[in-house]
Amino acid sequence: MANFDYKLLSALTEVIEFQSFELAANKLCISQSAISQRIKSLEEYIGQPVLIRSQPIELTTAGEQLVSHFKKVKQLENELAPVLSPDKPLKPVKVSLAVNADSIATWFIQAITPVLQSHLIELNLMIEHEERTLDKLRTGEAIGAVSVIEKPLKGYRSFCLGKMEYCLVANRDFKDRYFKNGVNKESLKMAPAISYDHKDDMHVRFIAKHFNLAASEYYCHSVRSSEAFVELTKQGVAYCLLPKIQIANELAKGELINISPKHELIETLYWHSWVLVKGINKKISQQIVKMGQEKLAN
């Protein structure tokens, strides 16, 4: 197979990002029929479909690989331009990272701040569950990710950051109201909990493992913010599973109480980055690994 025509890959990438042939055509300043022809030409070139023309529009396996490849090439171009330019870059380098909410709420922002202050960067933080951040690498949407999975994807490498320790907490009034006889299977059925969303299985796994209680047997608020977890729990709205590093002050002051000290959770976090990462992206990766290893328990 000869070299790819990157105009075709660009067309594919814009269609999937905009979820519209018309909007993608507008972005590329071509007609809708022209962008359709580019997709058709790409499919003829590789001998298989690249799009599932459904709602929403989806990529085939081949399409995912092509979009991932194109985004990596664009990232390399972004890294190379400032190096070759005799002056400071006129436009920021776009950097997309996939990170879990608990890392954002604790150590991650501190890790990337020095690089953001010293370089012209347009940052895109994609907040995902620790188990699913690697999906953003797989599709080429991100160039780095925090994950609980150690094994890297092909073309990537992983670095151990450390351990995130979690405990089950509530405020004193909530504990007295719902758990005056202790945290057990029966009391948990009546006490409202908090999870990140319906796909968040960390809380579900924890309760199932230690109390033999299925998710369908108790009720749980969905709140897509680690910071809101803390505030709602302090207000006595619910109990939840939180990183110790995030609530060290609240635990020390007695604003939150570890209601089940015999049952705690430890998750090991890893940083995944592209093997060929360089330039600003390499600096970001190095800073993330350094800060993660300093802040997380080992």
Side-chain angles (χ1 to χ4, degrees), residues 267-279:
E267 295 273 25
T268 302
L269 295 179
Y270 299 89
W271 173 249
H272 292 251
S273 63
W274 193 16
V275 169
L276 299 178
V277 69
K278 59 179 64 177

Side-chain angles (χ1 to χ4, degrees), residues 61-160:
T61 299
E64 288 179 354
Q65 293 172 335
L66 290 170
V67 168
S68 177
H69 169 76
F70 179 73
K71 288 185 175 182
K72 289 175 183 177
V73 170
K74 295 301 292 182
Q75 188 61 49
L76 285 174
E77 290 179 355
N78 289 338
E79 292 174 349
L80 188 59
V83 176
L84 297 180
S85 175
D87 303 311
K88 291 184 178 180
L90 298 177
K91 294 196 298 184
V93 176
K94 295 184 178 181
V95 176
S96 297
L97 308 173
V99 190
N100 61 312
D102 291 336
S103 290
I104 292 289
T106 52
W107 61 274
F108 192 84
I109 298 301
Q110 188 177 353
I112 61 174
T113 295
V115 186
L116 294 177
Q117 290 175 333
S118 59
H119 293 80
L120 193 57
I121 294 172
E122 182 180 319
L123 181 66
N124 177 25
L125 281 182
M126 292 174 280
I127 314 302
E128 286 288 348
H129 293 291
E130 315 59 359
E131 301 90 348
R132 300 204 302 274
T133 50
L134 294 191
D135 292 341
K136 298 299 183 181
L137 298 187
R138 193 174 286 109
T139 61
E141 294 175 77
I143 56 92
V146 174
S147 174
V148 292
I149 299 170
E150 179 179 8
K151 185 178 179 181
L153 301 174
K154 185 178 180 181
Y156 290 82
R157 55 184 173 183
S158 67
F159 303 85
C160 182

Side-chain angles (χ1 to χ4, degrees), residues 11-12 29 34 38 52 78 163-164 181 183 206 247 287 296:
L12 175 63
C29 299
R38 288 186 183 184
I52 300 172
N78 289 338
K163 294 178 174 22
M164 185 83 84
N181 296 319
V183 180
F206 182 89
I247 54 171
Q287 189 66 23
L296 300 177

Side-chain angles (χ1 to χ4, degrees), residues 197-208:
D197 62 19
H198 68 284
K199 296 179 181 179
D200 181 5
D201 67 350
M202 182 184 292
H203 182 96
V204 173
R205 285 188 285 110
F206 182 89
I207 298 299

Side-chain angles (χ1 to χ4, degrees), residues 6-30:
Y6 283 89
K7 292 198 303 292
L8 308 185
L9 299 187
S10 176
L12 175 63
T13 301
E14 297 299 345
V15 166
I16 201 65
E17 290 191 355
F18 280 102
Q19 284 292 301
S20 164
F21 280 76
E22 181 181 357
L23 294 178
N26 291 339
K27 172 69 181 298
L28 296 175
C29 299
I30 59 177

